[in-house]
Amino acid sequence: VLNFIEYAQLTKDLYTASDQLANLPQQYKDPSSLGEGTNWQRSMFKASLMDKHQVSVSGGFKNTNYYLSGEYFKQDGVAIGSSFERMSSRLNIDQQILKNIKAGFSASIASTKEELTSTSEDVIRTAINTYPGLLVKNADGSWGGVSTGDGFGGNIQYVPNNPIAMASFIKNKQRNLSLMGDVYVEAKILPGLTFRISANGNKSKPEAGKLTPIHNLSPSGNLEERIDSTYTENSYWNFGQLLQYNKTFKKHNVGVTMGHEAQAWSWESHTDNINVTVPSKTNRGLTSKAEGALESYFSRINYTFNNKYILQMAGRYDGGSAFGENNRRAFFPSMSAAWRITEEGFFKKLPLSKLFTDLKLRVEYGSTGSMGSDGYAQYTIYKQQIGSLGDTIYVPEKVGNPDIQWEKTVTKNIGLTLGMLNNRIQVDVDFFIKETNGLIMTLPVDVSLTGTGAPGALTAPTVNVGSLRNKGFNFSINSINVHNTKTSFKWTSNFNISTFNTKIQELSYKPFLESGIWWLNNFKSRSTVGGAPWMFYGYVAEKLFTSVEEINNSPRPDITTPASVNGTWVGDVKYKDLNGDGVIDGNDQTQIGNPWPKFTFGLTNTFSYKDFDLSILVIGSQGNEIYNYMRYLNANASAVRLGRNVYKEALDYAVPVNKVGTSEYYLQNPNTRVSRLTIGDPNGNYNRFTQWYVEDGSFIKIKNLTLGYSVPGKIIKKIKVIKGGRISLGIQNLATFTKYSGYDPEIGQYVGKEVAGDRTYQGLDAGRYPLTRVYTLNFAIDF
């Protein structure tokens, strides 16, 4: 980003280009007299410590085995206003009650605390575009804030607030207490026949609280203190019975499994929004609750003949509360077969057959079901409680849909397993096709058809919107490259690569599905039939206009307006007229980027020499694209008039120049993509998403490196109370090799505010919390 000198000079250039130099604030008239200003990114980020301590005890006596562990983990975030702390413990007990009966019990408890101010308030993005002339703190120790004397005039309300102050005094915290437990009893009824009953459940109580105090960081500062709090209680239980039979006779091996499982879950959440300054003004309470259940019957048959032919057949019959009575239950069969070719007589007679330890051909077919991303909120069981001065009422949250069906995925796979040189080389290759029908989503309709979106208003029903197909392959190889017993040196490797190609096959209600985020200038992702899901959607920018003649002979946002400085002018973006109607409008948008990689891979190399070991993990992604929303925001040189900092690339803004002695204009720097300086944006240069901000997100990353030393046994023997010891040094995110210009190309799915389960924003970088380099030093002692 720009320092204060560069920022002031750009501001001066803006006023000059707009013929408003007389209105230039005094502090910008001599940029060279200013200092570097505040580096907000340097002020926001810091080195932080991570502590992790774990103690475990295990053992047994007579017919009892036990395991008890406790862990404490704390990490201060690299951004101010972020941290995470966890305390947990676990107990496992297994008891052989009788000769043929055993039972077990396990329980765990965990408590977590998080501070989320830096992410919830978008202070990381704010730290990038905050005005560099603003101080973190004033001379008297108070927080720096924007004043009317900073020269922003009527635009002062758009100037970002001091992000360090916001991250420091806004408190947004979460905590959660969770308890999980399970118990089982297993009995051997007859030789090879086992019956098991198990039950498990968990309960958690997450709480979230946010305090926004009064502040005067700007003339439009926060004049009211506000408290927002949410209390939630989640419950889950599962009860299952499993009957297993395994028998081997002669060349036959048979395994039969039958089972039943029932599970149910519920949650209830209460949110309060309290205006502390004016309690009667905006106090509001909202209680939401939901519940769901799933019951399954399943069976599986395994058969192996002569260790050569393997057959497995399975089926599940599921019933889910998310569906109406007519479609509540569905059957999901699967089948697989394998042929171990190395066991065939003809193969053993082939040349070089002794090189092969294993050669197995696999064919698989299977189907699974899903209740969708909304889970138990599919049908009318989700309800809200609206607090008011009168009676409290419960209302449905969704319009009911008794015709919704299970989302079904059918997978077809053919694979090959290969083992060579006494399994020093092991290879697995799989080619698959996955077809998902009945995709479950909330019906994409305008809110005016279902309600206002306010508490108590009905939302659109959940429906089956279409189908998609995913094709690809997985390849993995494990190898023992070197194993020298004389020198105690060993080198092993694991490499895997996966590729997939997903296409929408059918959409039932609209020719496309679209997701937009209003607070990110309505950034859009769109899914259309024949294409990959959630592609970036926007305009195609061809170039910048280089002459008045070119403008008058080209489509533009308002074709009735002649080329002028106050309309479309030299140095503005020339958009492609995709539908050929001569006007640039919303109908000229198209898919401008693909967030999905062509393939991903991972490579692990492990070296050991005597008591030392070294492990290196490298991961990579190829072919995916990232929409760099931060560049979209900060490549706009004219944004300085709003008190917002920009990237240095904005200094290469287009400069229209009048050809001496003529009325013609040309661009002084025709190869730039940064539009001219303007007060306002008459051509819409920076309110349209284009492919110019779609970047190659491919990367190779040294993800983990660990160097360890295990204390030799001869040393351990001298300390009788210690059985083993190890020390290791690790580095996470050691190095990244990429062309991407943002913090980190490992973006994944955007999970910021206003994101619901039925909307996906893959590959969108809107100022995400960065993945940082982490150094760890571990000590482990066994007693």
Side-chain angles (χ1 to χ4, degrees), residues 468-779:
L468 59 81
R469 173 181 289 181
N470 181 13
K471 297 190 296 184
F473 75 87
N474 299 314
F475 173 86
S476 67
I477 179 170
N478 293 280
S479 62
I480 302 175
N481 306 314
V482 178
H483 190 187
N484 192 321
T485 56
K486 293 182 179 180
T487 62
S488 300
F489 177 73
K490 188 177 182 179
W491 170 26
T492 62
S493 297
N494 170 265
F495 174 76
N496 62 82
I497 184 171
S498 298
T499 181
F500 61 91
N501 181 11
T502 304
K503 288 187 178 181
I504 303 291
Q505 299 293 104
E506 176 190 7
L507 292 174
S508 304
Y509 291 88
K510 297 180 67 176
F512 60 85
L513 298 175
E514 190 171 89
S515 294
I517 311 179
W518 66 268
W519 66 277
L520 292 181
N521 293 331
N522 293 313
F523 175 85
K524 292 180 181 179
S525 293
R526 179 174 281 199
S527 301
T528 57
V529 175
W534 307 123
M535 302 278 279
F536 304 141
Y537 190 72
Y539 294 82
V540 176
E542 294 187 277
K543 55 188 288 260
L544 297 185
F545 284 115
T546 57
S547 69
V548 175
E549 181 182 8
E550 183 182 20
I551 296 173
N552 289 329
N553 293 324
S554 301
R556 53 187 185 274
D558 185 2
I559 198 169
T560 62
T561 303
S564 68
V565 175
N566 296 321
T568 300
W569 188 241
V570 176
D572 284 337
V573 177
K574 180 182 179 181
Y575 296 101
K576 191 169 185 178
D577 182 16
L578 295 179
N579 66 350
D581 65 356
V583 179
I584 301 300
D585 56 23
N587 296 318
D588 295 305
Q589 297 180 88
T590 187
Q591 293 176 346
I592 57 174
N594 187 343
W596 306 104
K598 293 180 180 178
F599 64 86
T600 59
F601 67 89
L603 172 63
T604 301
N605 280 291
T606 303
F607 306 88
S608 61
Y609 176 69
K610 294 184 178 180
D611 301 309
F612 292 90
D613 58 84
L614 174 67
S615 178
I616 304 173
L617 170 62
V618 177
I619 64 172
S621 177
Q622 179 64 41
N624 59 295
E625 294 176 311
I626 298 173
Y627 201 95
N628 192 338
Y629 182 83
M630 299 309 298
R631 277 192 60 233
Y632 163 81
L633 282 183
N634 298 302
N636 179 7
S638 300
V640 292
R641 73 183 182 88
L642 303 177
R644 297 180 180 179
N645 207 349
V646 294
Y647 288 160
K648 290 185 183 293
E649 68 176 284
L651 295 176
D652 186 27
Y653 57 85
V655 181
V657 178
N658 179 231
K659 191 174 182 179
V660 178
T662 71
S663 60
E664 297 180 16
Y665 280 80
Y666 67 94
L667 278 186
Q668 180 176 293
N669 49 343
N671 295 322
T672 185
R673 286 184 172 181
V674 182
S675 304
R676 66 185 176 109
L677 295 173
T678 60
I679 298 295
D681 190 7
N683 187 62
N685 296 323
Y686 291 100
N687 65 7
R688 292 183 175 91
F689 292 98
T690 73
Q691 85 285 2
W692 279 354
Y693 306 102
V694 175
E695 298 186 31
D696 184 1
S698 304
F699 69 88
I700 297 176
K701 177 177 290 190
I702 303 178
K703 188 67 174 178
N704 289 313
L705 186 150
T706 304
L707 176 64
Y709 173 73
S710 299
V711 182
K714 61 182 180 180
I715 298 179
I716 295 296
K717 291 179 180 179
K718 298 178 180 180
I719 308 175
K720 296 183 179 180
V721 296
I722 298 178
K723 294 183 179 180
R726 176 176 167 80
I727 182 173
S728 63
L729 173 66
I731 307 176
Q732 298 178 27
N733 302 310
L734 175 59
T736 302
F737 306 93
T738 183
K739 295 180 180 179
Y740 181 60
S741 64
Y743 277 147
D744 194 305
E746 200 174 348
I747 298 296
Q749 184 171 318
Y750 177 71
V751 290
K753 62 184 179 182
E754 302 292 336
V755 174
D758 58 355
R759 289 177 289 174
T760 300
Y761 309 97
Q762 187 79 17
L764 172 63
D765 186 355
R768 59 165 292 159
Y769 196 98
L771 295 175
T772 57
R773 188 174 298 167
V774 179
Y775 299 89
T776 58
L777 181 62
N778 295 295
F779 297 91

